[in-house]
């Protein structure tokens, strides 16, 4: 995600604004974390709570990457349904991952409550909406698989889905009461504040410029200082920069853009998402929509806003808004922004074993719950010496052939879709 952050709604409305200094000079720690998103801040918080000395460095500001540009849906599970996860990882590992991620929203909302994070938490569930009659088949398959592992999801017929969303453009929905919505930037900054309160030392404006092994630990160079640590967590995900001595794992960069209305009047809020669930649809080129605490409707879709064809994304947004809610046909959309998602070929998150450290990446659009879970688990595994705590077994290497071409494929598909759809 590389758009101007001044135009991002979450940066305009964030109520969590802790300040962290740039790292200068030399320092030592038990654990150094590189990256100030959900994963890195959750890892720093857990490690500090375990009594470790922690240094977290972030190249820009906390939450500057995907965590601060997220849709803000705190979902349970992954984009893949359970049987697909099992097919990729094996039934034992896959079932354990699904079980852990089923509890990820509870972990997120528990941290919000424990640390009084001012991030507009709304635990009213999410609605995965059928964008067309054919989308119901996908929801039925997901519903059956989720119910088989004990998930309390509910398949809603079209009439009830229309009532819950306030939109006649949906053809049914899968309701997950475990999930909810948050102000995504405020959540990650709240995690950072909590980590600092627990004793972690965080540094913004501090990119890692070089990494090397130093005896039994790590040496991390920055523009104005350096760090020595026994353990290392690389938590840069889709926003990895070039670092001497470190080859970031390949991912498929996929972009997602959003915009928001002004706060809607009370009569419309009585009809549009009256239960305040967050929504996304079953279309191949996915769309999402939700309300924030002030009653703004936030709507988005796949694509980037930093190339010539992005005018097609921008022109599609008001058409999509009107298709969902005809009463909003003349409503102006503001605060356009976009961000970058790290995908893997299997649509599964990965942990790479750095031998004394871990790199984590590839949430494929599900960063809030999995990022919190994986960051916490990696800190526990490094400090306790037990990799059995990890949600997935760590890999020794990782490669994606033609990652750039795959990214271009997704962007081209999204652009062409937004050229012709909802006209």
């Amino acid at each position: 995600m590389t758009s101007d952050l001044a135009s991002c709604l979450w940066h305009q409305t964030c109520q969590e604004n802790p300040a962290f200094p740039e790292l200068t000079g030399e320092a030592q720690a038990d654990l150094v974390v590189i990256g100030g998103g959900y994963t890195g801040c959750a890892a720093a918080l857990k490690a500090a709570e375990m009594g470790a000395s922690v240094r977290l460095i972030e190249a820009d500001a906390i939450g500057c990457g995907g965590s601060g540009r997220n849709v803000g849906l705190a979902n349970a599970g992954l984009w893949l349904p359970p049987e697909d996860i099992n097919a990729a990882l094996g039934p034992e590992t896959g079932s354990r991952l699904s079980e852990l991620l089923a509890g990820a929203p509870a972990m997120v909302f528990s941290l919000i409550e424990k640390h009084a994070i001012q991030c507009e938490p709304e635990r009213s569930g999410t609605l995965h909406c059928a964008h067309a009659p054919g989308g119901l088949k996908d929801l039925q398959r997901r519903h059956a698989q989720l119910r088989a592992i004990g998930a309390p999801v509910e398949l809603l017929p079209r009439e009830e889905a229309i009532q819950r969303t306030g939109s006649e453009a949906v053809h049914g929905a899968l309701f997950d009461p475990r999930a909810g919505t948050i102000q995504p930037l405020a959540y990650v900054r709240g995690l950072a504040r909590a980590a600092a309160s627990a004793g972690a030392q965080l540094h913004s404006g501090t990119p890692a410029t070089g990494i090397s092994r130093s005896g039994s630990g790590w040496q991390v160079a920055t523009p104005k200082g350096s760090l020595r640590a026994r353990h290392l967590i690389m938590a840069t995900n889709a926003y990895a920069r070039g670092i001497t001595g470190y080859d970031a794992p390949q991912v498929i960069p996929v972009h997602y853009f959003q915009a928001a209305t002004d706060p809607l009047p009370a009569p419309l809020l009585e009809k549009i998402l009256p239960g305040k669930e967050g929504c996304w649809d079953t279309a191949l080129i996915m769309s999402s929509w939700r309300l924030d605490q002030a009653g703004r409707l936030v709507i988005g879709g796949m694509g980037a806003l930093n190339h010539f064809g992005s005018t097609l994304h921008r022109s599609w947004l008001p058409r999509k808004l009107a298709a969902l809610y005809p009463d909003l046909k003349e409503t102006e959309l503001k605060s356009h922004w976009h961000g970058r998602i790290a995908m893997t070929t299997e649509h599964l998150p990965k942990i790479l074993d750095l031998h004394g450290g871990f790199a984590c990446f590839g949430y494929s659009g599900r960063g809030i719950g999995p990022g919190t879970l994986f960051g916490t688990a990696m800190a526990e595994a490094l400090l306790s010496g037990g990799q059995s705590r990890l949600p997935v077994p760590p890999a020794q290497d990782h490669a994606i052939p033609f990652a750039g071409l795959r990214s271009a494929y997704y962007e081209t598909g999204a652009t062409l879709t937004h050229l012709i759809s909802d006209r």
Side-chain angles (χ1 to χ4, degrees):
M1 301 187 180
T2 53
S3 60
D4 181 6
L5 291 181
S7 66
C8 177
L9 174 67
W10 309 133
H11 286 256
Q12 297 166 4
T13 64
C14 186
Q15 298 181 53
E16 291 278 355
N17 295 291
F20 302 107
E22 181 181 4
L23 175 69
T24 59
E26 297 183 358
Q28 291 188 343
D30 296 318
L31 171 66
V32 60
V33 179
I34 299 177
Y38 301 129
T39 303
C41 290
L45 172 58
K46 185 60 180 181
E49 289 178 337
M50 294 176 70
S53 59
V54 183
R55 294 273 183 163
L56 181 149
I57 59 173
E58 161 58 44
D60 292 299
I62 297 297
C64 184
S67 297
R69 312 171 195 233
N70 198 283
V71 175
L73 303 183
N75 280 306
L78 296 172
W79 182 76
L80 292 180
E83 289 183 9
D84 291 4
I85 295 173
N86 289 355
L89 297 178
E92 182 176 349
T93 299
S95 296
R96 180 173 179 272
L97 178 61
S98 293
E99 181 180 357
L100 289 172
L101 289 173
M107 174 184 284
V108 168
F109 287 103
S110 176
L111 288 170
I112 291 169
E113 182 178 5
K114 178 180 178 181
H115 300 289
I117 299 175
Q118 301 302 302
C119 65
E120 306 180 17
E122 192 69 55
R123 198 171 187 185
S124 299
T126 54
L127 293 165
H128 190 182
C129 299
H131 75 293
L136 273 175
K137 294 182 179 179
D138 180 43
L139 295 184
Q140 289 166 349
R141 180 174 70 96
R142 291 173 182 271
H143 175 260
Q145 292 185 27
L146 289 167
R147 293 291 294 182
I149 64 171
V153 295
E154 182 181 357
L155 188 63
L156 307 182
R158 184 169 190 264
E159 295 76 14
E160 188 171 353
I162 290 173
Q163 183 180 12
R164 298 279 279 269
T165 61
S167 173
E168 294 191 7
V170 300
H171 296 264
L174 186 62
F175 173 62
D176 191 337
R178 301 170 295 179
T181 62
I182 59 174
Q183 211 277 24
L185 176 62
Y187 172 60
V188 69
R189 287 185 175 175
L191 287 179
R193 171 177 57 78
S197 296
Q201 294 183 272
L202 286 73
H203 302 278
S204 60
T206 306
T209 58
I211 296 176
S212 60
R213 293 303 299 263
S214 176
S216 60
W218 298 88
Q219 177 86 24
V220 179
T222 71
K224 297 182 181 179
S226 64
L227 290 167
R228 289 181 179 272
R230 181 180 177 188
H231 303 295
L232 171 73
I233 289 178
M234 295 295 301
T236 53
N237 200 28
Y239 285 80
R241 299 186 176 204
I243 302 174
T244 300
Y246 176 73
D247 293 325
Q250 285 187 317
V251 297
I252 304 167
V254 176
H255 293 86
Y256 200 88
F257 65 94
Q258 298 176 78
T261 68
D262 282 331
L264 301 178
L268 286 178
L269 290 174
E270 291 176 0
K271 298 187 296 182
I272 295 174
L273 295 174
K276 298 184 178 179
E277 300 94 342
C279 302
W280 77 102
D281 66 22
T282 55
L284 180 62
I285 303 299
M286 188 189 78
S287 307
S288 64
W289 64 101
R290 55 159 296 192
L291 295 170
D292 76 346
Q293 195 170 69
R296 300 178 184 89
L297 187 72
V298 184
I299 184 170
M302 289 176 62
L305 299 181
N306 61 352
H307 60 86
F308 177 77
S310 64
T311 55
L312 299 174
H313 297 321
R314 290 177 180 268
S315 64
W316 167 82
L317 273 172
R319 299 199 310 270
K320 181 64 177 180
L321 182 63
L324 286 170
Y325 300 109
D327 288 343
L328 301 183
K329 183 176 181 180
E330 303 300 325
T331 301
E332 183 181 2
L333 285 163
K334 302 178 178 179
S335 304
H336 295 73
W337 73 97
H338 79 273
R340 192 162 60 242
I341 295 167
M343 290 184 62
T344 63
T345 51
E346 307 93 337
H347 305 295
L348 290 170
K350 305 279 188 178
I351 295 175
L352 194 62
D353 189 351
L354 303 179
H355 306 288
F358 296 121
C360 186
F361 55 95
Y363 299 125
S364 299
R366 288 289 181 94
I368 295 172
T372 303
L373 172 68
F374 274 62
T376 300
M378 286 189 295
E380 288 181 320
L382 287 173
L383 296 173
S384 69
Q387 292 192 359
S388 62
R389 296 175 181 270
L390 296 174
V392 294
Q396 299 302 312
D397 52 42
H398 175 77
I400 297 180
F402 309 111
L405 289 176
R406 295 179 190 220
S407 176
Y409 169 81
Y410 283 111
E411 182 61 32
T412 300
T415 302
L416 292 175
T417 297
H418 292 156
L419 170 65
I420 63 175
S421 65
D422 297 303
R423 289 192 179 274

